[in-house]
Every structure is written in C-alpha cells, then in structure tokens.
Amino acid sequence: RKEVEQDPGPFNVPEGATVAFNCTYSNSASQSFFWYRQDCRKEPKLLMSVYSSGNEDGRFTAQLNRASQYISLLIRDSKLSDSATYLCVVNLKDTGRRALTFGSGTRLQVQP
Amino acid sequence: EPEVTQTPSHQVTQMGQEVILRCVPISNHLYFYWYRQILGQKVEFLVSFYNNEISEKSEIFDDQFSVERPDGSNFTLKIRSTKLEDSAMYFCASGGTTETQYFGPGTRLLVL
C-alpha cells in the first residue's frame, strides 16, 4: 500500500461547483497532516493544516478521520483560480522525523 | 511576507559534473530541507538539517549528495557527480517550531 494515496483525477468541474478530494495514508502513527496546492511547474504552497477536529478556511474545509486513516478536502464555490494539483501530505512527527511524505496529487480543473 | 529563495532557477550540466544548488531559508527558521520532484512524479524528501547537522535523510540521499550551511543565511545542496536520473526540480524548504514547511520556487536541474 502506498504511504499516501490520492485519486489522480483530473476533476473537471464548472465554476461555482463544490468538489471534494480524498486521501488515505498507510501509517497509523502519522501525526501531522496538510493540504498543499501545486501549480504547474511551481513549488508546493501550503493550503491548510488538517486537525483532528476538522478545520475551515474560507471556502476550504479539511477533515481528518484517524480511525480510517483518511483525510479530505472540500472546496466550495470553485473559482477558475482553484485549478491546480492538490497534494495530500503527512508528517510522522512522533519519532522526531519532520520529513514530509507527499501523495501524487489530485488535479483539479475548474471550467468557466 | 518572508519567503524561501533559491538560485539558480535553472541549471543545465553534463553527466559527471558537480552542481551546487543554493537556498536562502526564511530568516528565523531553524529547520531546513531539500526535496526533489522528477517530472510527472511526486515530491520526494531528500534530507533535513537542524542545528548544523543532518537530522534525517532518505535512501535517495546517497554519498553523491551533501548539504551545507556555510554561513548564517545560505543552505546548499551539492551533487558531486551528476547522473541522468538526477534531472528533476529541487525544492528547498524551511520551517520554524511548528511542523509547517515553506517551499522555495525550486531549481530545475537538467543533466545531459
């Protein structure tokens, strides 16, 4: 099983749509979780951290289900500028490691 | 807003040559990282650096690679004898006391 697994997409949605991405991770000891976005040939940019209680930042909502080892990202009212690849990222903090483990990303294309 | 910077943005080299990639992390950060992304693949961890020493490295980071913080601001990645398969985007990242890591714009390395 891959350490961090995502549906590669692409997800093609119209402007204004709501879209959800899912991610599973293999290591139950993983402690920190993030969503990054990556535009074509650019660096990953932090979108949001994911907390056990779930968290929201404007149109973006992230959820964590530790029992199922599952993370989700919900984007409401999609904008053209949301078109990017969304990277699910985990950090195995409890052993002192800070290395981030990336999923392969889910590509989103928002269409006018 | 402070950001991580990297130079050069692009580097073309011949197989067997040495390259040095440079990074200036965010000034008050304590943890420094190198990642790479081969075209079309996921971001992979190479090495982390804290308190003037390597704190963790991946299997990719073999004897051909080294890192250095020669002064108070720069953080470098050296590849001693480049191979064709070293062609990739190399990202530097830095982090403070939290787990969040901020990525630089990357250096695109092409080995011919």
Side-chain angles (χ1 to χ4, degrees):
Chain A
R1 182 180 176 183
K2 289 182 186 175
E3 289 184 297
V4 179
E5 198 151 5
Q6 298 181 249
D7 180 344
F11 283 56
N12 295 304
V13 302
E15 271 186 290
T18 295
V19 62
F21 305 135
N22 303 319
C23 166
T24 56
Y25 58 96
S26 61
N27 194 323
S28 60
S30 298
Q31 293 292 317
S32 303
F33 310 89
F34 309 89
W35 283 101
Y36 280 74
R37 74 171 271 169
Q38 186 175 32
D39 294 289
C40 189
R41 295 177 179 262
K42 299 286 190 182
E43 74 273 26
K45 290 192 174 176
L46 179 69
L47 185 64
M48 58 199 304
S49 302
V50 187
Y51 303 116
S52 296
S53 54
N55 47 302
E56 188 174 309
D57 183 0
R59 298 181 294 109
F60 300 85
T61 301
Q63 297 279 350
L64 168 65
N65 184 322
R66 285 188 184 273
S68 302
Q69 293 174 217
Y70 170 99
I71 307 160
S72 65
L73 177 68
L74 184 77
I75 305 175
R76 289 181 297 279
D77 189 23
S78 300
K79 312 288 185 196
L80 294 175
S81 56
D82 293 334
S83 297
T85 297
Y86 289 83
L87 307 174
C88 177
V89 183
V90 303
N91 180 328
L92 190 63
K93 181 186 174 189
D94 68 335
T95 61
R97 288 179 56 196
R98 285 183 170 239
L100 295 179
T101 302
F102 284 75
S104 299
T106 298
R107 195 153 62 90
L108 172 67
Q109 184 66 48
V110 181
Q111 294 162 337
Chain B
E1 184 179 313
E3 56 185 24
V4 177
T5 60
Q6 291 185 242
T7 54
S9 58
H10 294 78
Q11 173 97 46
V12 181
T13 191
Q14 294 290 325
M15 194 168 56
Q17 294 297 304
E18 175 183 286
V19 295
I20 298 177
L21 311 183
R22 291 182 167 81
C23 168
V24 179
I26 293 172
S27 63
N28 61 346
H29 282 181
L30 304 173
Y31 295 86
F32 314 112
Y33 310 86
W34 285 100
Y35 292 81
R36 79 169 186 192
Q37 186 174 31
I38 294 170
L39 188 64
Q41 298 187 22
K42 64 180 182 178
V43 177
E44 300 174 291
F45 169 76
L46 293 178
V47 65
S48 61
F49 193 86
Y50 172 72
N51 201 24
N52 286 320
E53 61 182 22
I54 291 173
S55 49
E56 187 185 359
K57 59 183 180 179
S58 71
E59 290 175 356
I60 303 168
F61 193 87
D62 61 22
D63 292 344
Q64 293 299 313
F65 292 88
S66 62
V67 290
E68 201 174 36
R69 189 156 159 81
D71 53 42
S73 59
N74 290 286
F75 179 51
T76 63
L77 174 70
K78 183 192 290 186
I79 309 174
R80 263 180 271 281
S81 177
T82 49
K83 306 183 186 69
L84 296 176
E85 54 265 36
D86 292 328
S87 295
M89 183 75 111
Y90 287 81
F91 293 111
C92 174
S94 71
T97 52
T98 70
E99 307 87 34
T100 305
Q101 296 178 24
Y102 298 91
F103 286 74
T107 294
R108 185 167 296 281
L109 176 65
L110 178 61
V111 182
L112 301 175

